[in-house]
């Protein structure tokens, strides 16, 4: 490991962040010009666009024969999106879940996560699996467009404020189209270059520290490629557009599984190999995290600060476990026992009680202040 490797890692993350931002801007402008609903832009184009770094990295890793990095990137990003991004946003300001479509997307995200587990149990996500996943993405997008027509005026107004036509440059029509296309082209170019740098530097780091591509993918690469989601969600929260923050994280998770793993499995010869450690530990964690979001979204339709703190705490615990396991630290058995025997059961019971109370009071139709 040398200065060049560190430089490529930082440079790759920077290019992915800038490239993803340019792609989101260009895609959002084109979608608005084409007359697509701002709500659909927020929940599909933006959430898909902020996942473009994960897409670039996973495809690059798959083509380079590094399936562990590709799969670990997606699984780690999905865990990061829920625990870290929603946790951090909730600490800034309680996240009120008012858009009906988002409440339908959470169960869909859980279903998609369960499907991935089923496909990965044989240790491979093959070509046909990839076709299935990507086909579901197309169906999901069409469904989102249809469902958006039933949204409330308040929801449409909020998304229109952030992504509507008034956000377009005050220029002539042809110039706006040219500008949007240029942003997309430049963004894609930066994503391609940044993903190549990140994959190469991450692999070098893994070898230098004696850890696997799986761990690097689940931690450094997953957090790094999720930077666009972090920025988009936190900025939306600070601006009071909290539905957008939530929609971005949930929509990105759906796209990560259906779009990124789907395409990566299709273009990778022989499909993507799934490491046993991912099947036995990281995929179950991803499923647990997805299910953990459900009662919080039901209990008053919001994520309060204390719930956000729990999310962040679990992400720290998850990352700590990965590091301890990778280094075979002496503290690993004690840490695992405390989490399994005390922390996880207490949290599960707390969430269950909150969900049951919410159903009994039937207050799920009224968001908390």
């Amino acid at each position: 490991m040398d200065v060049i490797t560190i430089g490529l890692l930082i440079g790759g993350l920077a290019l992915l962040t800038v490239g993803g931002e340019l792609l989101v801007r260009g895609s959002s402008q084109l979608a608005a010009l084409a007359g697509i609903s701002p709500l659909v832009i927020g929940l599909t184009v933006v959430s898909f666009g902020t996942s473009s770094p994960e897409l670039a990295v996973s495809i690059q890793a798959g083509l380079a024969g590094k399936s562990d990095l590709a799969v670990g990137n997606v699984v780690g990003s999905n865990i990061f999106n829920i625990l870290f991004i929603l946790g951090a946003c909730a600490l800034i300001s309680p996240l009120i879940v008012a858009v009906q479509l988002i409440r339908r997307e959470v169960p869909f995200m859980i279903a998609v996560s369960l499907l991935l587990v089923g496909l990965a149990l044989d240790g491979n996500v093959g070509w046909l699996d990839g076709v299935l996943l990507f086909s579901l993405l197309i169906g999901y997008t069409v469904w989102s467009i249809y469902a958006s027509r039933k949204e409330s005026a308040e929801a449409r107004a909020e998304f229109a404020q952030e992504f509507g036509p008034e956000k377009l440059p005050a220029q002539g029509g042809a110039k706006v189209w040219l500008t949007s296309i240029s942003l997309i082209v430049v963004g894609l170019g930066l994503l391609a270059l940044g993903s190549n740098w990140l994959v190469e530097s991450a692999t070098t780091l893994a070898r230098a520290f004696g850890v696997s591509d799986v761990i690097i993918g689940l931690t450094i690469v997953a957090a790094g490629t999720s930077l666009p989601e972090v920025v988009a969600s936190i900025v939306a929260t600070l601006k009071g557009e909290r539905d957008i923050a939530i929609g971005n994280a949930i929509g990105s998770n759906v796209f990560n599984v259906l779009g990124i793993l789907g395409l990566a499995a299709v273009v990778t010869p022989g499909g993507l190999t799934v490491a046993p450690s991912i099947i036995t530990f990281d995929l179950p964690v991803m499923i647990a995290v997805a299910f953990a979001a459900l009662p919080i979204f039901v209990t008053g339709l919001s994520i309060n600060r204390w719930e956000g703190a729990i999310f962040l705490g679990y992400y720290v615990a998850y990352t700590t476990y990965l590091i301890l396991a990778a280094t075979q630290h002496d503290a690993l058995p004690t840490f695992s026992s405390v989490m399994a025997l005390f922390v996880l059961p207490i949290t599960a019971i707390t969430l269950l009680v909150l969900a049951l109370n919410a159903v009994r009071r039937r207050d799920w139709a009224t968001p908390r202040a």
Side-chain angles (χ1 to χ4, degrees):
M1 185 181 65
D2 53 22
V3 176
I4 295 179
T5 301
I6 300 298
L8 287 176
L9 178 67
I10 297 174
L13 290 173
L15 290 180
L16 288 172
T17 302
V18 175
E21 172 65 18
L22 293 179
L23 182 60
V24 168
R25 288 181 180 273
S27 300
S28 298
Q29 290 180 5
L30 277 183
L33 286 170
I36 297 176
S37 162
L39 180 60
V40 175
I41 294 174
L43 292 175
T44 57
V45 175
V46 174
S47 60
F48 294 174
T50 54
S51 292
S52 52
E54 287 98 324
L55 176 62
V57 168
S58 290
I59 289 180
Q60 174 72 22
L63 293 175
K66 304 181 187 302
S67 293
D68 288 347
L69 192 62
V71 177
N73 176 37
V74 168
V75 175
S77 292
N78 277 21
I79 295 172
F80 183 87
N81 285 347
I82 298 298
L83 295 184
F84 184 89
I85 295 180
L86 290 188
C89 290
L91 280 181
I92 294 173
S93 177
L95 299 176
I96 307 300
V97 188
V99 176
Q100 303 295 321
L101 186 58
I102 292 176
R103 288 184 298 187
R104 291 192 294 267
E105 284 186 334
V106 175
F108 186 69
M109 176 186 68
I110 294 174
V112 165
S113 301
L114 291 172
L115 173 62
L116 175 59
V117 172
L119 295 177
L121 284 178
D122 61 355
N124 181 266
V125 179
W127 185 85
L128 286 177
D129 297 333
V131 171
L132 171 63
L133 292 173
F134 195 73
S135 298
L136 287 174
L137 176 66
I138 296 175
Y140 165 76
T141 304
V142 173
W143 170 74
S144 295
I145 294 174
Y146 170 78
S148 70
R149 298 176 181 176
K150 300 181 180 180
E151 292 306 310
S152 65
E154 292 81 5
R156 290 179 178 275
E158 181 185 347
F159 279 82
Q161 180 182 356
E162 182 67 9
F163 303 111
E166 67 273 9
K167 295 296 181 180
L168 296 175
Q171 302 169 342
K175 193 170 183 180
V176 173
W177 281 90
L178 181 60
T179 300
S180 301
I181 294 173
S182 298
L183 288 174
I184 292 174
V185 171
V186 174
L188 289 173
L190 293 178
L191 286 172
L193 180 59
S195 64
N196 184 56
W197 287 4
L198 186 61
V199 169
E200 292 301 322
S201 59
T203 302
T204 302
L205 280 175
R207 295 193 185 117
F209 287 101
V211 298
S212 66
D213 286 344
V214 173
I215 301 299
I216 295 295
L218 288 167
T219 53
I220 297 176
V221 176
T225 54
S226 292
L227 286 177
E229 285 98 325
V230 174
V231 174
S233 293
I234 289 180
V235 168
T237 301
L238 291 173
K239 294 170 66 175
E241 295 156 349
R242 291 169 288 183
D243 288 336
I244 295 174
I246 298 172
N248 176 47
I250 301 300
S252 293
N253 275 20
V254 172
F255 181 77
N256 285 348
V257 174
L258 299 184
I260 294 176
L261 279 185
L263 282 177
V266 168
V267 303
T268 301
L272 297 172
T273 301
V274 184
S277 62
I278 291 181
I279 296 175
T280 58
F281 179 71
D282 300 292
L283 279 176
V285 170
M286 186 185 76
I287 295 297
V289 167
F291 271 100
L294 190 57
I296 288 181
F297 276 76
V298 171
T299 55
L301 302 183
S302 71
I303 306 178
N304 285 330
R305 284 190 172 91
W306 71 269
E307 293 165 330
I310 289 178
F311 275 20
L312 279 176
Y314 272 124
Y315 184 74
V316 172
Y318 169 71
T319 305
T320 301
Y321 176 85
L322 291 179
I323 295 173
L324 292 177
T327 58
Q328 290 298 304
H329 196 278
D330 293 340
L332 179 61
T334 302
F335 181 83
S336 300
S337 298
V338 171
M339 292 296 297
L341 298 177
F342 298 100
V343 179
L344 293 178
I346 291 174
T347 304
I349 293 172
T350 301
L351 293 177
L352 179 61
V353 170
L354 288 173
L356 291 176
N357 286 339
V359 172
R360 186 175 65 251
R361 295 194 310 267
R362 293 190 179 277
D363 63 352
W364 45 269
T366 305
R368 289 178 295 193

